[in-house]
Amino acid sequence: MSERNHLYWIGVRESEIMCTGDLFVGSISVFGSNIQNNFSFDKEFSWRFDCNIDHSEWIDYINDKVERIIEWDPDCQFMLYYPADYPYYTEKVRERVKYLNDMDLITLLENKIQSKLWLGDYVPILPYSLEMGRDICFHKLQSKFKGTKTFVIQSTSSCGGSGTWLFSTQTVDAIHEFIEEDRRYLVTPYIEKSISVNIHVVIYAEEIVLLPPSVQIISTENDCFSYRGGDFIAYQRLPQNLRDKLAERAYTLGNLLRDKGYRGVCGIDFLAQGADLYFMEVNSRFQASTFLINKALETNGVPNSVQSLHKDAFENSRCSCEIPPLEVPYSFYCYSYHQADIDRVRQLYDIQKESCRQVECVDNYLDWSAEKDENTYLYEFIFGQSITALAPDFSCRIDPNIDINSGIISSEHWERQLLELKIMLLNHGTRITPNALKSMSSKGGVNFQEFYAVDLMLCGLYINVPYNLGLTALSPFLIDTDNHAHYILKYWDCKISRVTLRPVDPLGLRHINGHQYNEISYLGVDRLRIYHRTGCFYKEHGLGCKFCDIEPQERPITVSDVEKVLDDYIGHPAVRHYLIGGGSDAPNSDFQTVLEIVGYIRKYTDKPIYLMCLPPRDVSILKELHHAGITEVTFNLEVFDRELAKSLMPGKGRLPLNVYDAAFKEAVALWGRNCNVRSAFVIGLESVETLFRGIEHICRLGVSPILSLFKPIPGTPLEYMLPPSDKEIAEICRGINKICQTYGVELGPSCRYCEDNTLKISVENLALDLR
């Protein structure tokens, strides 16, 4: 047999070698199948332990299995996922380990303090302080790092986040239970608004090979850091200058390690804060994300893996393999065991398994009945899309349907948390069972037209809930039918309430002059929206907003077309008021089309008319609109940070703030401060600080803010962007409500039925149906 047919893998998961071709003939892993030449610790002992904590039983298991392998394969050799365990193996194992670096160098790199101090002379690192455990004191650290309220304490060695803690006034007592008085720790300021990134580096004697980097998904549960997964797609959306800087510093560190005699693969972690990039640590091993690079190589027909490159670096001075430019179009997330949420994890696992078109489960033959250590790995899911995004404040957002602990409502007391429930429905969307879809179809279908969503009514509360958008297929919410054919809303497996779903408007399917009615009008819950133009002026000139899917105008509509549609809706019982809006008109519009439409409506009804438009350059037109019968106006700022607005809204964002202010002041003078003059802001597109400044700015003028949650719409330039977490959204809403109260301004809109896609709830007259 050739040498490659004698090579075995010793690692954490059997899945680590699933795309390595015939490089390995077998494996020993903590988690695996225990079949086809895999020896799996968890299967053999029905015990899934936390592999980030040292277990002597695991070392004993490896020593025993190697001896068994030697019996049938005397020429066997082994490659290690985690070389630092090498000294703990028996001599029989050690003499058969291949492709291993000098243990003194591995020990140096495993010492997170010493390695950072050494390599920190060549690349930037965060300010730090070395402290004995007995001397760690919060107030002492605050005096050393002025203005810092939270710190990171790191022990000499750590893995997967274990051995690293968040230290603040709230966690002092809890963290001191872990800290040993006679050990030395590295203390650095905690940079909350930052992104953790990782890169695989393969070091040859005469060459450094950089593989695609990833954004690391790090959680801070229970005041400890925990590695949850990686996102290769999100990394490609980081600023180019930052990516260039990372490559340069990875080369620098790779050359330093090469000069020390290091060969093969290592992982280097950096922390990005705006334009700054700080070195964090070198992992002298393969990475938890290695398997996705292997998957991308295999998908692209490259007959190599990271493991084969590691082997190649020990056998050749330069890379003997051809590695084409490579993109890794995947992200992944690891789920762990927590006693409190095991039922919920299992429910999400089942949901994800059903959604295989979006995700791929890697469970390493998970046995749910096995004994489990707290925090042990359970399974991971591979996504063919990004599950994280860079937030405006340079923090890492994660898709709300990934983290099972993201919820801010309890199933038992949701009726006391209506705003929180609405936030979650808007942020997570919903799934719909086949039975419910069949029932909807039999009743004429449900309105899915606007915003990739379904209009749901719960206890008199209307919510425009995303459906079939992004990862809503993994939402904890589900619309089902009960035994009486009523629609019900569930949160995980708990029934929330009966709900009703708004059906398709049959009038909207009629045609006139080549247009369907719903291209000219849209019947909402209680209002008829009239488009005074099709498409958007700015889209027509290549300056459309990056988060909007309104298309350029293709076939113009005429006022006579609008009048015909209005004729058919004038007596409609659902129409309580009208909204004139649509895509943005030219900034120098004379509003004549709007005035004609208003005039036509006023011939037949005195129902309220709401105008949503750009602020006019000449504010005198507002008097004409007021006189014609407009009862409410909205000029949407959407993004207050005007420099950011220019980037996200290349056309509309260039309108100066003083143009808005002039329109706001004149409109308030005409329509008053009673919520009849409004401006919408999109939550999630700018920092909370600038958002609050914008809210305060318009409230001071007597203008009511409307809060719209950002929604990533397919086909738009910002389809990869993500909204804030449920908790962040709730905090933002509370902050904005305080600002409104300070200035005596009501949060918009004024109509509770029109709140369906906004972050507002008018709780009066809600009928709670708790059956």
Side-chain angles (χ1 to χ4, degrees), residues 261-281:
Y262 192 97
R263 297 293 179 267
V265 72
C266 68
I268 306 178
D269 294 342
F270 294 91
L271 192 75
Q273 182 193 26
D276 297 322
L277 186 71
Y278 301 100
F279 163 68
M280 299 304 288
E281 62 184 33

Side-chain angles (χ1 to χ4, degrees), residues 359-427:
V359 296
E360 176 183 344
C361 178
V362 182
D363 64 9
N364 288 276
Y365 306 93
L366 170 62
D367 178 2
W368 288 97
S369 66
E371 181 184 351
K372 303 174 187 65
D373 282 357
E374 189 78 6
N375 298 318
T376 188
Y377 159 84
L378 291 177
Y379 66 95
E380 56 202 8
F381 264 80
I382 302 171
F383 299 84
Q385 64 184 76
S386 184
I387 59 173
T388 63
L390 182 65
D393 61 6
F394 216 88
S395 60
C396 183
R397 285 180 182 162
I398 184 167
D399 191 286
N401 286 316
I402 297 297
D403 184 1
I404 62 168
N405 296 314
S406 65
I408 53 175
I409 65 166
S410 65
S411 303
E412 299 81 9
H413 305 295
W414 64 268
E415 69 275 9
R416 303 176 199 165
Q417 302 172 287
L418 288 177
L419 178 59
E420 288 81 0
L421 173 61
K422 184 175 185 181
I423 286 170
M424 287 195 65
L425 282 166
L426 290 175
N427 209 21

